[in-house]
Amino acid sequence: MGDDELSPTSARRYEALGRVMAALATEAEFIETCRDLTWWCGADQSWHIEWRDGPYASEVAALLVEQAGEPDRSLATPVGPGGSASAVLDVMGVRFELRAIDPMGRARVRARPGFWRLAEALDTTRRTNARQPWEELLGG
């Protein structure tokens, strides 16, 4: 490891990435609807996060502003307006560039017929004549 890898700036950069990924991990719908989620550190020490399908970049940015932080304050702020394909955030002083490839948006994802969601599969309160999704999962 070089000296730069052990610097306080580098530590803050990795802490910011950890907070962003933890916020994304709490949103099951984001994880379930995205394909090919990747991230990498850019040459300017910013983080780039990219995915296919799923929500718009602006929707993910709004989620991160809401979720990434502490109970009394957000550690993420938008840097300019975001759009369907890209958005930029500042998280703890670290730049995050979000890029959605062929996004559908959350509303369209929710309305897509036949889309399987873990939350629906585990909902035991919904009664129908058909087998429950959780029964399918468990082979019952």
Side-chain angles (χ1 to χ4, degrees):
M1 275 189 192
D3 289 336
D4 186 49
E5 293 292 321
L6 301 175
S7 72
T9 303
S10 181
R12 186 178 65 245
R13 194 170 64 245
Y14 283 100
E15 180 183 354
L17 176 65
R19 288 180 182 258
V20 165
M21 296 311 239
L24 293 177
T26 64
E27 186 65 27
E29 186 173 274
F30 174 78
I31 298 299
E32 290 177 5
T33 61
C34 292
R35 291 186 309 119
D36 304 328
L37 177 66
T38 58
W39 60 93
W40 65 94
C41 188
D44 60 351
Q45 303 306 310
S46 65
W47 289 105
H48 298 257
I49 301 176
E50 184 177 279
W51 64 93
R52 292 186 181 281
D53 300 335
Y56 296 131
S58 58
E59 293 172 327
V60 174
L63 167 78
L64 292 174
V65 167
E66 180 184 319
Q67 300 266 344
E70 298 167 354
D72 57 341
R73 68 184 176 109
S74 176
L75 297 176
T77 56
V79 177
S84 61
S86 65
V88 179
L89 291 175
D90 180 287
V91 180
M92 300 174 54
V94 178
R95 182 180 175 98
F96 280 79
E97 296 187 20
L98 308 176
R99 183 167 178 234
I101 301 169
D102 299 327
M104 295 182 285
R106 291 177 115 172
R108 193 166 144 211
V109 166
R110 288 180 185 138
R112 187 166 67 180
F115 180 69
W116 182 82
R117 287 188 185 84
L118 184 59
E120 288 177 4
L122 299 176
D123 182 6
T124 59
T125 63
R126 194 180 68 212
R127 300 305 311 161
T128 64
N129 291 336
R131 287 173 47 145
Q132 296 291 321
W134 58 270
E135 291 173 320
E136 293 287 336
L137 282 173
L138 299 175

